[in-house]
Amino acid sequence: MAYIIQGETGDWEVVIGLEVHAQVISHSKLFSGAATEFGAEPNTQVSFVDAGFPGMLPVINEVCVAQAVKTGLGLKARINLTSVFARKNYFYADLPQGYQISQFDKPIVGEGEVILDLPDGSTRTVGIERLHLEQDAGKSIHDMHPSKSFIDLNRSGVALMEIVSKPDLRSPEEAGLYLTKLRSILRYLETCDGNMQEGSMRCDANVSVRPVGSTELRTRCEIKNVNSIRYVQQAIEFEARRHIDVYETGGTISQETRLFDSIKVETRSMRSKEQAHDYRYFPDPDLLPLVIAQDFVDGIKAGLPELPDAKKTRFMAEYGLNAYDAGVLVAERISAEFFETVAKGRDAKIACNWVMGDFFAALNATGKTMENPPVSAKDLGALIDLIGDGTLSGRLAKDVFALMVETGKAPGVLVEEKGLKQVTDTGAIEAAVDAVIAANPDKVQQVKDGKTTLLGWFVGQVMKATQGKANPAMVNEMLSKKVLG
Amino acid sequence: MRTLTNLTLAEGRDKLAKGEFTAVELTAAHIGAVEARRDLNAFIVETPELALEEAKASDLRRQAGQAGAMDGLPIGIKDLFCTKGVQTTAASHILEGFKPPYDSFVSAKLKAAGAISLGKLNLDEFAMGSSNQTSYFGAVENPWKRISDPKAKLVPGGSSGGSAAAVAARMVMAATGTDTGGSIRQPAAFCGITGIKPTYGRCSRWGIVAFASSLDQAGPMARTVRDCAIMLGSMAGFDPKDSTSVNMAVPDFEAALTGDIRGLKIGIPKEYRPVGLSDEVAKVWDQGIEWLRAAGATPVEITLPHTKYALATYYIIAPAECSSNLARYDGLRFGQRVAGKTLDEMYAKTRAAGFGAEVRRRILIGTYVLSAGYYDAYYAKAQKVRRLIAEDFRKAFETVDVILTPTAPTAAFGQGEGTDDPVTMWLNDIFTIPTSMAGLPGLSLPAGLSADGLPLGLQLIGRPFDEETVFKVAGVMETAANFTARPPQHPPCGCGPKGECV
Amino acid sequence: MSLDKATVRNIANLARIEIRDEDLDHLAGELSNIMTFVEQLSEVNTDGIEPMTSVAAMTLPLRKDVITDGGQPEAVLLNAPEAEDGFFTVPKVVE
């Protein structure tokens, strides 16, 4: 799936590295005891530490440290038992201390990997450069006043994990798959909710291009704070094209920070950030080096959930699912659990077909979520059981499923209420078969003469006569016997 | 009145306990002294009404048998400590009008021990200076006078110059100071009082306006060693809100004053006799060595080979940290703002108008040494040399128990003298800075007078968290020095019938 | 080490401190003197020495993840030179 951009002078490829800022799930902030909940009234979740008041000092939240370690383990990364917090110095209205406490040359997590699931069922490994902990800034609101910006510090100091990929991505599609997979891992780990609309997962994309076949790394531009996977892809596409156009007209790309305009679908230079970046990193003297024990890491490791890659492999081996189905089912922990509940003690293929087919269709159609699904896993399992024990035919089961979505009732209850129970009484089926045979002697003759495909027509007539309730297998068997003798 | 303001903390404590006078009487006497010596400009904010209210409450606590360790004792608070509802400025225009909604950990502890604050004491702006001439609220004057030129106004040292002057002039019984490179010890020496910078981590930095976080440390300034021991006991202690605060029990420092130093080894660093050290200072130092020898201790010559680099190291690390620590003064959430058309213009104008020359200079140096391409050559290099300085002390303390040095190379100098070149001014701190770099406890006590009648101090340096040995040796030296000189009372205190001093 | 005027202007800009043109020369001189003074550190052999990151021989204490602070917008905004509708306000930032 090589992604090649044709230019005037030849073919180009794009080199992409992503920096994801993932908000850590914790009750309180990284260095203060203020709450982290989204959507509160302005400046109500602010301690004097978050507001950078004189003499205020940071004290680190142990859960945020544990969450970073857990995420590192989930990315199969090296955990650094000693890491150092550094100050990144710059002035901005929503950065109260005048510096962001981050990690620079000694991050808590080192190199790891994310495995992309490509649409053809194959996989590709993308390197993780590092993961570090840092504080979020506050929020500047520019549209509340004609000449003023408004500053809300609720988000100031909330813990973020900055997860930096290696420049291993080669197309907007891969970038999308990477973000999807990373989000899935974070959600499995419960270290970040992955909600891009609320800003709890934001992405900066570093983009450069080079002629196909070249291994050089050309000047990259950083597109800041893109808040949906689709926008990331659009931004990369635009930016790559822009670079190629500049190079092909003899220009040069200068390293800069750019902004993605989702309405015009273009990137543009951020003038306010054009001043030379010089963050003057140095170890934060208010904080000592963070030293964690191997036991602490081992304890977190022991409690790790099964992650999407392992689960996918297991689903394929244990349930005989294909890579695609397994990949879809494991994308969210909750759907994987749903599937496993349905499949437990039942035919996994049938369970998979139901979940992937009717169930996901109903989920989409109703707009419900996995947390509050249109049909519970228990009920879906019971429905499959009713097919297995012959109570329902496949066709009837689909009707029952539709009723389950509509009413929320259990399949057994619906079968009783509507009298949908499949007829397995030999006498009743025989009577219906006999009646159809008696009414169609010419067609019986045609079957006997060898036109066996007509048997299907007989089955249909019997099913019609029994309002679909007759057991199709029994009908088939009886018809063959009676017509063909 | 005079008798009350001449009391030490220990005497005041014991006499309050005996009921010889009330906290209200003691406080009122000191409020009078504060008013009488406004000429020294030691206070930025006086809080007499609050103080009297607290004194009343103190007397009630005492009646109820609930008096704390410093109950009813009037003190001053350096205006670097945030005080709830009382303006806190760090002697900077940029913080003028700032009323913190919180008390610093240390000032809150003192309040909880019953100490009564008479107000906020002047200092060098953001504690940057060695002469208290960089305060936006004006220079502080040293109450001591040269015999040769009694009219000359002398500096009290800095940065805790207001604290030192107020304690020396009997306006308060004791005061809080902070010390980054000598800011407790050097003004204590200049004003003839005692002050200790405890081990880094002993007192919480929470709520103290930060200058250089890896060096800043609060400590007491008082007129005796015992008073410093009493007050440090009420300031020190673990604070979970300061990640560099050490979780260790606070010893009974006063109990360390046994008077017995027999067998202790006293380190005398040979590097502390630089060219240009005044003869008088050298003489007092030699005298100090003899006092300790006479009391049964053994002086031992030691070497601290990286001493000469301490000043340069300090003037990279402290400005670097301050350039970052002072970034929060941006006119946005507190303090002064100068309007600008854009955000950046607002910042630049606010900070140009809000900070004085010395602070601006240090911010610029700090910004430069941290900037791209220079970090390794300056900041990283300085932190390596700092480790070597700390190592020097560690090795020395393998053989000695405490180190004795002069506190400052000269006695107090005149206002306006030697201010042209910042580097020359910094030389005041050559004996105190190495201790700060290593985070060790250092105490300065008055050991004698110069020929011109000015106090000279000696410094005792201890092992990390061994303030007790420092106090013990200091107590012996204090007895031997018998420093009873006092600064003249100018203007007249008003005690006698014709305004003459008793 | 000598700092030229352009360098001083650049660091003053990084530090957001306005400097008047007429003060630049003097300031560049002062800062150059200071840098010359600290230059002496280059003569110290620091091969193999780790930079000191903290004075105290201890590691970073961790705090429990509990909400203990916040819920005081009035106190947070009390000292603000300018505030409106519960927000701090600044000259409009255009991006």
Side-chain angles (χ1 to χ4, degrees):
Chain A
M1 53 179 275
Y3 176 79
I4 305 292
I5 307 169
Q6 267 139 30
E8 297 289 323
T9 59
D11 290 348
W12 297 80
E13 72 169 352
V14 58
V15 177
I16 307 152
L18 297 179
E19 290 170 19
V20 169
H21 290 90
Q23 183 179 325
V24 175
I25 295 177
S26 64
H27 298 299
S28 61
K29 295 182 180 180
L30 182 55
F31 293 115
S32 88
T36 57
E37 209 174 314
F38 179 80
E41 288 295 303
N43 293 308
T44 54
Q45 297 182 167
V46 180
S47 80
F48 297 122
V49 178
D50 310 321
F53 270 51
M56 293 298 99
L57 297 171
V59 182
I60 198 164
N61 181 336
E62 64 177 1
V63 164
C64 297
V65 174
Q67 293 284 58
V69 169
K70 194 175 180 189
T71 307
L73 292 170
L75 299 173
K76 300 191 182 71
R78 190 183 71 241
I79 307 299
N80 296 323
L81 297 181
T82 299
S83 63
V84 171
F85 285 95
R87 292 185 183 176
K88 179 181 182 179
N89 295 284
Y90 65 96
F91 285 88
Y92 200 65
D94 53 27
L95 189 73
Q97 293 155 310
Y99 55 84
Q100 176 191 32
I101 305 178
S102 180
Q103 297 190 299
F104 184 51
D105 53 354
K106 288 178 182 151
I108 187 165
V109 175
E111 291 183 324
E113 61 180 45
V114 167
I115 296 167
L116 307 191
D117 302 291
L118 305 178
D120 66 1
S122 66
T123 60
R124 187 160 125 59
T125 302
V126 174
I128 295 291
E129 180 68 37
R130 59 185 281 160
L131 174 156
H132 68 249
L133 276 170
E134 64 182 26
Q135 314 174 284
D136 203 350
K139 198 171 154 198
S140 298
I141 303 157
H142 305 301
D143 55 6
M144 286 182 71
H145 191 281
S147 62
K148 291 177 189 174
S149 289
F150 282 41
I151 312 297
D152 171 16
L153 299 178
N154 279 348
R155 224 173 55 191
S156 168
V158 168
L160 301 176
M161 295 179 283
E162 180 170 329
I163 304 164
V164 183
S165 85
K166 291 182 184 281
D168 286 351
L169 298 159
R170 292 288 175 274
S171 69
E173 188 186 8
E174 283 188 4
L177 290 171
Y178 169 83
L179 290 172
T180 307
K181 186 57 173 286
L182 181 60
R183 183 174 179 277
S184 165
I185 293 170
L186 296 173
R187 286 174 55 83
Y188 262 72
L189 293 167
E190 294 176 325
T191 57
C192 170
D193 68 21
N195 189 329
M196 291 188 89
Q197 286 76 49
E198 289 181 3
S200 47
M201 192 169 145
R202 308 192 286 273
C203 181
D204 301 344
N206 286 297
V207 179
S208 67
V209 298
R210 64 188 174 197
V212 169
S214 159
T215 54
E216 66 176 328
L217 284 176
R218 294 200 176 189
T219 306
R220 60 191 161 87
C221 288
E222 185 181 18
I223 308 155
K224 277 274 180 204
N225 260 332
V226 193
N227 65 0
S228 89
I229 293 177
R230 193 164 60 92
Y231 291 163
V232 171
Q233 294 178 314
Q234 288 175 344
I236 292 168
E237 215 167 299
F238 175 88
E239 188 65 10
R241 191 75 241 180
R242 187 181 75 84
H243 284 214
I244 294 165
D245 290 347
V246 168
Y247 287 130
E248 292 193 328
T249 53
T252 50
I253 292 288
S254 51
Q255 188 164 343
E256 63 173 352
T257 303
R258 298 179 69 85
L259 202 67
F260 178 67
D261 182 330
S262 60
I263 294 161
K264 293 182 181 161
V265 195
E266 62 178 31
T267 68
R268 60 169 182 271
S269 190
M270 286 173 82
R271 279 188 189 6
S272 63
K273 298 242 173 176
E274 252 177 27
Q275 283 173 334
H277 291 274
D278 193 339
Y279 292 129
R280 290 160 282 138
Y281 281 100
F282 74 109
D284 191 329
D286 287 332
L287 295 162
L288 303 161
L290 172 63
V291 178
I292 49 177
Q294 188 59 48
D295 283 359
F296 177 78
V297 177
D298 292 344
I300 293 170
K301 198 169 198 168
L304 280 187
E306 183 184 36
L307 290 170
D309 291 328
K311 206 181 274 289
K312 182 181 166 192
T313 307
R314 182 169 65 80
F315 277 19
M316 290 167 71
E318 194 175 318
Y319 299 115
L321 305 186
N322 64 39
Y324 176 79
D325 288 349
V328 171
L329 288 174
V330 304
E332 292 282 350
R333 188 172 176 170
I334 194 165
S335 10
E337 277 165 10
F338 187 94
F339 162 73
E340 289 211 277
T341 308
V342 176
K344 193 173 181 188
R346 305 189 177 97
D347 183 312
K349 281 279 180 52
I350 293 175
C352 173
N353 288 339
W354 273 98
V355 173
M356 296 279 292
D358 295 71
F359 174 76
F360 280 167
L363 191 67
N364 264 332
T366 56
K368 291 193 169 184
T369 62
M370 286 304 299
E371 286 76 16
N372 178 28
V375 168
S376 73
K378 184 168 149 274
D379 286 351
L380 182 53
L383 180 67
I384 294 171
D385 289 343
L386 290 174
I387 303 167
D389 68 12
T391 309
L392 288 175
S393 65
R395 220 189 63 76
L396 268 181
K398 290 198 183 272
D399 297 342
V400 172
F401 182 82
L403 286 168
M404 287 162 71
V405 173
E406 198 183 304
T407 63
K409 290 179 180 167
V413 175
L414 287 167
V415 167
E416 284 301 322
E417 277 182 14
K418 310 268 175 186
L420 291 172
K421 201 167 171 166
Q422 177 172 264
V423 178
T424 50
D425 168 21
T426 321
I429 294 174
E430 193 164 11
V433 169
D434 289 345
V436 173
I437 288 175
N440 298 286
D442 51 332
K443 288 201 168 65
V444 171
Q445 192 52 51
Q446 284 177 28
V447 175
K448 284 186 194 283
D449 291 348
K451 202 175 174 187
T452 49
T453 48
L454 259 182
L455 270 176
W457 179 84
F458 279 96
V459 174
Q461 292 303 302
V462 174
M463 295 306 283
K464 202 169 168 185
T466 59
Q467 288 109 48
K469 284 186 266 184
N471 180 311
M474 291 174 72
V475 173
N476 260 316
E477 195 193 328
M478 210 172 280
L479 271 169
S480 307
K481 217 185 294 170
K482 292 202 178 234
V483 177
L484 296 171
Chain B
M1 293 294 272
R2 273 300 297 276
T3 31
L4 286 185
T5 56
N6 268 327
L7 295 173
T8 65
L9 282 180
E11 289 164 350
R13 174 188 63 184
D14 298 345
K15 288 175 190 289
L16 278 168
K18 285 188 203 146
E20 292 185 18
F21 45 78
T22 64
V24 169
E25 286 164 342
L26 187 62
T27 302
H30 283 90
I31 289 171
V34 168
E35 285 167 358
R37 294 312 308 265
R38 285 194 180 133
D39 60 308
L40 297 178
N41 199 29
F43 278 81
I44 293 175
V45 174
E46 295 171 14
T47 54
E49 294 87 0
L50 278 175
L52 284 171
E53 267 174 47
E54 285 176 23
K56 278 178 207 154
S58 168
D59 285 330
L60 290 175
R61 276 195 300 273
R62 193 171 296 282
Q63 282 167 22
Q66 293 164 342
M70 287 186 66
D71 226 305
L73 301 173
I75 61 166
I77 303 287
K78 186 179 184 180
D79 200 23
L80 203 61
F81 293 78
C82 287
T83 43
K84 192 170 181 175
V86 176
Q87 178 184 262
T88 300
T89 65
S92 181
H93 179 45
I94 208 159
L95 268 175
E96 199 172 1
F98 173 58
K99 288 189 176 169
Y102 45 85
D103 276 315
S104 77
F105 183 82
V106 165
S107 54
K109 277 204 82 162
L110 285 167
K111 197 185 269 184
I116 289 161
S117 168
L118 300 188
K120 303 302 289 291
L121 293 162
N122 208 340
L123 65 149
D124 278 301
E125 184 180 2
F126 281 105
M128 296 177 200
S130 310
S131 64
N132 217 131
Q133 296 178 96
T134 70
S135 168
Y136 174 75
F137 300 96
V140 175
E141 198 185 322
N142 191 329
W144 290 83
K145 294 290 177 191
R146 285 179 184 140
I147 296 168
S148 63
D149 181 9
K151 286 206 179 113
K153 292 182 173 184
L154 304 183
V155 304
S159 66
S160 309
S163 302
V167 172
R170 273 64 180 169
M171 298 157 85
V172 292
M173 300 181 84
T176 63
T178 64
D179 189 315
T180 304
S183 282
I184 286 175
R185 294 161 284 163
Q186 184 256 16
F190 276 20
C191 291
I193 64 164
T194 302
I196 180 170
K197 178 199 91 74
T199 313
Y200 183 85
R202 181 65 96 178
C203 291
S204 167
R205 295 183 295 113
W206 194 89
I208 301 174
V209 175
F211 161 17
S213 313
S214 73
L215 297 160
D216 296 344
Q217 187 59 204
M221 302 174 80
R223 290 191 292 265
T224 68
V225 173
R226 182 174 300 275
D227 284 3
C228 283
I230 291 169
M231 188 160 164
L232 182 58
S234 292
M235 294 170 74
F238 175 62
D239 177 6
K241 296 195 298 303
D242 174 359
S243 299
T244 61
S245 158
V246 174
N247 196 351
M248 266 177 122
V250 179
D252 181 350
F253 296 118
E254 205 181 350
L257 301 173
T258 59
D260 182 2
I261 60 163
R262 284 173 299 172
L264 288 185
K265 291 202 172 69
I266 313 293
I268 311 298
K270 61 179 186 188
E271 289 81 4
Y272 281 57
R273 285 187 198 274
V275 183
L277 179 68
S278 93
D279 289 346
E280 289 185 320
V281 172
K283 223 173 84 190
V284 165
W285 188 15
D286 290 338
Q287 180 63 67
I289 296 169
E290 285 317 309
W291 286 330
L292 296 181
R293 194 199 304 276
T298 313
V300 178
E301 190 187 70
I302 55 165
T303 176
L304 300 169
H306 294 92
T307 299
K308 66 179 279 207
Y309 300 109
L311 205 55
T313 308
Y314 178 84
Y315 278 102
I316 291 172
I317 292 169
E321 292 183 9
C322 102
S323 72
S324 177
N325 281 336
L326 270 57
R328 67 188 57 196
Y329 306 105
D330 58 7
L332 213 157
R333 297 164 310 286
F334 40 75
Q336 298 294 308
R337 170 188 292 196
V338 178
K341 287 190 289 294
T342 64
L343 180 65
D344 279 333
E345 191 183 300
M346 180 193 99
Y347 286 153
K349 285 185 182 301
T350 296
R351 290 164 61 79
F355 294 135
E358 178 68 13
V359 173
R360 289 200 300 269
R361 199 153 46 221
R362 295 204 197 186
I363 290 174
L364 294 177
I365 286 292
T367 304
Y368 181 66
V369 298
L370 288 176
S371 65
Y374 295 106
Y375 177 85
D376 287 328
Y378 294 113
Y379 190 78
K381 179 81 182 182
Q383 289 288 35
K384 289 177 186 176
V385 179
R386 182 175 182 182
R387 186 178 289 278
L388 294 173
I389 293 167
E391 273 298 294
D392 285 352
F393 279 106
R394 195 189 56 74
K395 283 180 200 146
F397 280 119
E398 284 173 0
T399 52
V400 301
D401 298 295
V402 72
I403 294 170
L404 178 70
T405 76
T407 307
T410 65
F413 49 89
Q415 287 184 357
E417 287 172 19
T419 49
D420 300 342
D421 175 23
V423 175
T424 309
M425 181 61 88
W426 296 349
L427 291 173
N428 273 292
D429 300 323
I430 51 169
F431 298 141
T432 48
I433 278 178
T435 323
S436 299
M437 302 307 291
L440 303 173
L443 177 146
S444 176
L445 78 165
L449 290 178
S450 70
D452 215 358
L454 297 180
L456 298 169
L458 287 179
Q459 173 179 231
L460 286 160
I461 304 164
R463 294 192 180 97
F465 301 103
D466 188 16
E467 287 86 358
E468 287 164 282
T469 302
V470 172
F471 278 128
K472 183 188 306 207
V473 177
V476 169
M477 189 171 282
E478 181 179 58
T479 306
N482 190 26
F483 184 87
T484 52
R486 283 183 206 164
Q489 295 288 316
H490 285 287
C493 63
C495 301
K498 289 176 186 166
E500 79 280 16
C501 298
V502 179
Chain C
M1 186 74 205
S2 139
L3 275 71
D4 58 24
K5 288 203 276 184
T7 306
V8 174
R9 191 166 282 300
N10 181 41
I11 57 176
N13 183 37
L14 274 177
R16 298 294 187 278
I17 295 177
E18 187 179 67
I19 310 266
R20 290 179 306 179
D21 284 335
E22 58 264 40
D23 294 336
L24 263 182
D25 265 325
H26 179 67
L27 195 56
E30 274 184 345
L31 298 183
S32 296
N33 280 349
I34 293 168
M35 292 315 296
T36 304
F37 173 73
V38 301
E39 204 67 28
Q40 57 175 295
L41 288 191
S42 59
E43 64 192 58
V44 186
N45 181 358
T46 50
D47 293 348
I49 306 294
E50 276 294 298
M52 192 155 150
T53 46
S54 65
V55 171
M58 53 185 278
T59 56
L60 192 61
L62 304 174
R63 136 183 149 253
K64 297 270 174 235
D65 181 29
V66 284
I67 298 167
T68 56
D69 212 335
Q72 45 174 4
E74 303 81 12
V76 166
L77 292 162
L78 187 69
N79 281 284
E82 255 191 50
E84 218 171 302
D85 298 337
F87 295 90
F88 295 101
T89 61
V90 293
K92 194 167 190 115
V93 180
V94 189
E95 234 157 41

